[in-house]
Amino acid sequence: MVRTRFAPSPTGYLHIGGARTALFCWAFAKQQGGTFILRIEDTDRERSTEASVQAILDGMNWLGMDYEGPYFQMQRLERYRHAVEQLLRDGHAYECYATREEIDSLREQQRARGEKPRYDGRWRPENARRLGLKPPAGAKPVIRFRTPDSGEVTFNDLVKGPITVANAELDDLVIMRADGIPTYNFGVVIDDIDMAITHVVRGDDHVNNTPRQINIYRALGASLPLFAHLPMILGADGERLSKRHGAVSVMQYHEDGYLPEALNNYLARLGWSHGDAEKFSMPQLVEWFDLRHISKSPARFDPEKLAWLNQQYLKEADDARLAALMAPFLERDGCMLTGGPEPKRVAALLKERVSTIEELADAAVYFYRALEPSVELRKQHYTAAVRPALSALLERLTAIEWNRANISAAMKAVAAECQLKFPQLAMPLRVMVTGEPQTPSVDATLELIGQCPVLERMARELAHFPG
């Protein structure tokens, strides 16, 4: 039974890289009929916060990834202590009393000699005896793992292929701090053993940790999971992904009006592909997903491509759903939805013209409150020559039954009577009523805004015409 896990540290928001990792773990487990686990690695007590935990949970829930858990490492301290005791008994770990100052001095000396900075094993029992080291009175030791002196670690990364690291390249890492809190490399192994994780799918910034963790698995007599390390995500300029590239919180995309299915679709294409398919649903992702088609090369995050994909999903989205999503944006912008046109009709009219819900709401404002045209727009479109036609149209619109067909017929009749081309009448009318130079079809727009608001806005704006 395949079991995967996503194990973020609650020291910030759920970012794009983490969400991509979670999605790949989730999709692989679902595709294999297995289990996906969410585990919060909260042992960094100085930086871990409840707000960050909630941000992770909110992001996972918004993206629609169901999981077993969440589990928290700080609730498992007794288990880590038992595992450390086992390693101490079996000679795979030892107490180390080296101070931070001693370690820093050691590393400076090694750098000065052109050596790789590393712990020298001075508190290994045989070395401590030879050097005459005694535990300082009252000091609490850290626990270090005793890395094998010889041999090598080889594993077949499911993305990168075979990787071999000599144990001589690895020093004795700290597995438990003096306060009894496990370090990352130790806690993650114990958790993965206890939770029967079969596939560890994570970012390739963890590749260097894997040989150390494999040695701990072996010392505990545990079976190894399979490892798959995902390529980095870069910005469109090829630099490491950062906030300036759009690497913000997943929930920021929610707040900016992206649809979760669009973001999931885009994340799935960052380093994985299924033929030439660009747009696909979550069920399709689960059906198609495998680890063999994860690229070895870094993926590039392109906000414009994400916006385009979101636009495709908006076009197909249910109008009532879009109306509910855009309502908070409109209310924040001072719009009263009661008394205005039915929001889902507005969404249906506008959704093919926008890339996000926020843009949809921005485009819908003039349906719910009057927008005053800019001076430049009035100067460009308000002329003495067209004023008589607009006055005549105002009079004609006052008398009709309000629907799109009648509005269109009235406009065409006035344009013909005044010997104007239709755009010569429609453009200033659009600016008068919406405050914008571009809208959907003007007759459809006027129909939705409603007869009274349209007549009031036209009457008000006629006062700004010359002549």
Side-chain angles (χ1 to χ4, degrees), residues 323-340:
L325 291 172
M326 77 173 180
F329 290 96
L330 286 167
E331 291 165 356
R332 186 180 64 193
D333 205 15
C335 294
M336 296 290 293
L337 302 188
T338 55

Side-chain angles (χ1 to χ4, degrees), residues 27 66 112 139 187 199 215 221 272 352 416 441 465:
D66 54 314
H199 293 73
N215 277 330
W272 175 85
E352 296 201 6
S441 175
F465 278 69

Side-chain angles (χ1 to χ4, degrees), residues 72-85:
F72 294 85
Q73 287 188 321
M74 288 301 290
Q75 298 174 2
R76 291 171 43 79
L77 296 183
E78 191 64 25
R79 169 67 177 112
Y80 305 129
R81 281 193 278 270
H82 286 315
V84 161
E85 289 168 3

Side-chain angles (χ1 to χ4, degrees), residues 86-87 90 92 145-146 214-222:
Q86 177 185 339
L87 292 174
D90 294 344
H92 294 300
F145 178 75
R146 183 170 184 140
I214 288 175
N215 277 330
I216 296 174
Y217 275 100
R218 289 173 174 167
L220 291 167

Side-chain angles (χ1 to χ4, degrees), residues 90-151:
D90 294 344
H92 294 300
Y94 58 92
E95 296 178 343
C96 173
Y97 292 89
T99 65
R100 175 63 61 86
E101 292 73 23
E102 289 174 329
I103 297 297
D104 289 344
S105 175
L106 170 65
R107 289 173 176 169
E108 287 177 13
Q109 295 170 25
Q110 290 169 331
R111 290 191 194 95
R113 295 193 298 266
E115 300 172 359
K116 178 181 177 181
R118 52 185 292 144
Y119 176 66
D120 59 2
R122 63 183 63 180
W123 278 96
R124 284 189 173 194
E126 67 276 18
N127 293 338
R129 286 193 297 270
R130 177 173 53 81
L131 296 170
L133 298 179
K134 301 293 183 182
K140 291 185 176 181
V142 300
I143 307 299
R144 287 186 181 270
F145 178 75
R146 183 170 184 140
T147 299
D149 296 316
S150 60

Side-chain angles (χ1 to χ4, degrees), residues 226-448:
L226 298 175
F227 294 93
H229 291 92
L230 309 177
M232 291 178 62
I233 302 176
L234 305 177
D237 57 4
E239 297 295 322
R240 188 178 182 90
L241 193 63
S242 65
K243 288 185 178 180
R244 67 186 177 87
H245 298 110
V248 295
S249 164
V250 163
M251 294 308 290
Q252 184 64 52
Y253 285 97
H254 167 57
E255 293 168 13
D256 290 345
Y258 286 79
L259 298 178
E261 57 266 39
L263 185 56
N264 276 325
N265 190 159
Y266 185 70
L267 290 176
R269 289 289 287 113
L270 287 177
W272 175 85
S273 62
H274 180 77
D276 296 327
E278 288 286 346
K279 182 174 178 293
F280 42 81
S281 66
M282 290 282 271
Q284 286 175 312
L285 172 62
V286 168
E287 179 184 350
W288 295 339
F289 191 82
D290 61 17
L291 300 175
R292 296 190 307 276
H293 289 90
I294 294 175
S295 171
K296 293 180 173 65
S297 303
R300 297 204 178 205
F301 183 83
D302 184 351
E304 292 183 3
K305 182 67 174 292
L306 171 58
W308 173 85
L309 193 57
N310 198 62
Q311 184 179 47
Q312 307 314 304
Y313 277 94
L314 285 174
K315 290 178 181 179
E316 299 175 359
D318 177 72
D319 297 332
R321 178 192 177 198
L322 295 183
L325 291 172
M326 77 173 180
F329 290 96
L330 286 167
E331 291 165 356
R332 186 180 64 193
D333 205 15
C335 294
M336 296 290 293
L337 302 188
T338 55
E342 190 176 9
K344 72 176 184 180
R345 294 183 63 199
V346 175
L349 184 64
L350 298 175
K351 67 182 183 180
E352 296 201 6
R353 306 170 64 89
V354 299
S355 297
T356 67
I357 300 294
E358 186 171 33
E359 289 180 10
L360 180 64
D362 288 344
V365 168
Y366 58 75
F367 286 97
Y368 298 98
R369 65 178 175 87
L371 297 179
E372 187 168 338
S374 67
V375 173
E376 291 76 15
L377 282 175
R378 283 172 174 163
K379 185 176 180 180
Q380 181 181 356
H381 297 288
Y382 291 9
T383 65
V386 78
R387 179 174 181 171
L390 288 165
S391 296
L393 179 61
L394 174 60
E395 184 175 345
R396 192 173 295 237
L397 291 177
T398 303
I400 65 170
E401 182 180 347
W402 199 254
N403 59 54
R404 182 176 181 179
N406 289 344
I407 295 168
S408 178
M411 292 178 64
K412 289 175 181 176
V414 169
E417 291 168 5
C418 296
Q419 298 183 339
L420 295 173
K421 294 181 179 179
F422 191 81
Q424 291 177 297
L425 180 66
M427 280 303 296
L429 175 62
R430 179 179 280 112
V431 171
M432 292 171 74
V433 176
T434 71
E436 301 285 351
Q438 295 181 337
T439 70
S441 175
V442 68
D443 51 1
T445 300
L446 266 57
E447 179 188 38
L448 269 184

